[in-house]
Amino acid sequence: MPFIEHVSDSDVERLALERLVPTLLAHGFCYVDGLLGELAGDAVLDQVKEMHRSGALQDGRLAGSVPGIRRRSIRGDKIAWVSGSERGCEAISFLLNLIDKLISVCASRLGNKMIRERSKAMVACYPGNGAGYVKHVDNPNSDGRCITCIYYLNKNWNAKEHGGVLRIFPEGKSYVADIKPLFDRLLFFWSDRRNPHEVQPSYSTRYAITVWYFDAEERAEAKRRFKDLTASSRQGSSTS
């Protein structure tokens, strides 16, 4: 259904070249408000709310477990991974295609990065019971993730009342950056150790969609390391 306001290629290119590239290179993060507009933003929000209502969102997993530490004390979100091709994800698919276009314009202008692919989209909900996500780095171990993109879906959000701020601790800087999770806001930041960040406790239901774009060389090297590690562990188990 044609519910999306038209976004021209020239608008996308202008936003990428005049805003995203210079701000990312200068500061390591950047956000854009009013990305889709009210109509299209509402369509994305409705689809995410339906996923939540239907039980499609499950507890977010941790990369590793620490004895005696409860998962919810580290991250309290519920998530689902989507490609955008699923039934009921048409508006999400439009959003992902728009972000893809923005990144494709930026890609050759961000230093020596070769950005050719991304993750599926992580649809996330913090239920509003004080859930958050402690300070962490998305890609601390060179797994290929290069740029984190988060699209927020929260109408009438009051950070003083509802919390849920994403706080970035830019590496080597004396300041922090507090990003409110406002409706139709798209945030970009480097995924590596340059941008430790946290989601502060949320006291109202908080929705977001996140995708990660990969640097091709780093991603390929990470896959080689994983393959070698898997092979060596199999060899070890077969000789034990």
Side-chain angles (χ1 to χ4, degrees), residues 157-172:
W157 193 269
N158 180 333
K160 289 185 177 178
E161 178 182 350
H162 302 140
V165 165
L166 184 136
R167 172 167 287 182
I168 300 175
F169 303 82
E171 183 184 49

Side-chain angles (χ1 to χ4, degrees), residues 8-22 102 105-106:
S8 71
D9 288 344
S10 61
D11 289 338
V12 170
E13 188 167 324
R14 189 179 308 113
L15 176 60
L17 298 182
E18 296 180 5
R19 180 83 177 274
L20 300 185
V21 170
L102 284 167
V105 176
C106 296

Side-chain angles (χ1 to χ4, degrees), residues 23 44-45 52 65 70 73 85 114 130 169 224 235 240:
T23 309
V44 177
L45 177 58
H52 189 198
S65 60
R70 293 173 62 245
S73 69
S85 61
M114 291 193 300
F169 303 82
R224 281 194 292 270
Q235 186 177 14
S240 59

Side-chain angles (χ1 to χ4, degrees), residues 74 126 133-138 169 195-199:
I74 299 175
Y126 289 85
Y133 198 153
V134 299
K135 185 178 177 181
H136 65 284
V137 172
D138 284 355
F169 303 82
N195 284 312
H197 55 283
E198 66 185 13
V199 178

Side-chain angles (χ1 to χ4, degrees), residues 19 31-36 180 182-186:
R19 180 83 177 274
Y31 64 83
V32 176
D33 287 329
L35 180 77
L36 297 183
K180 299 173 185 176
L182 305 183
F183 177 77
D184 205 19
R185 168 173 284 180
L186 179 63

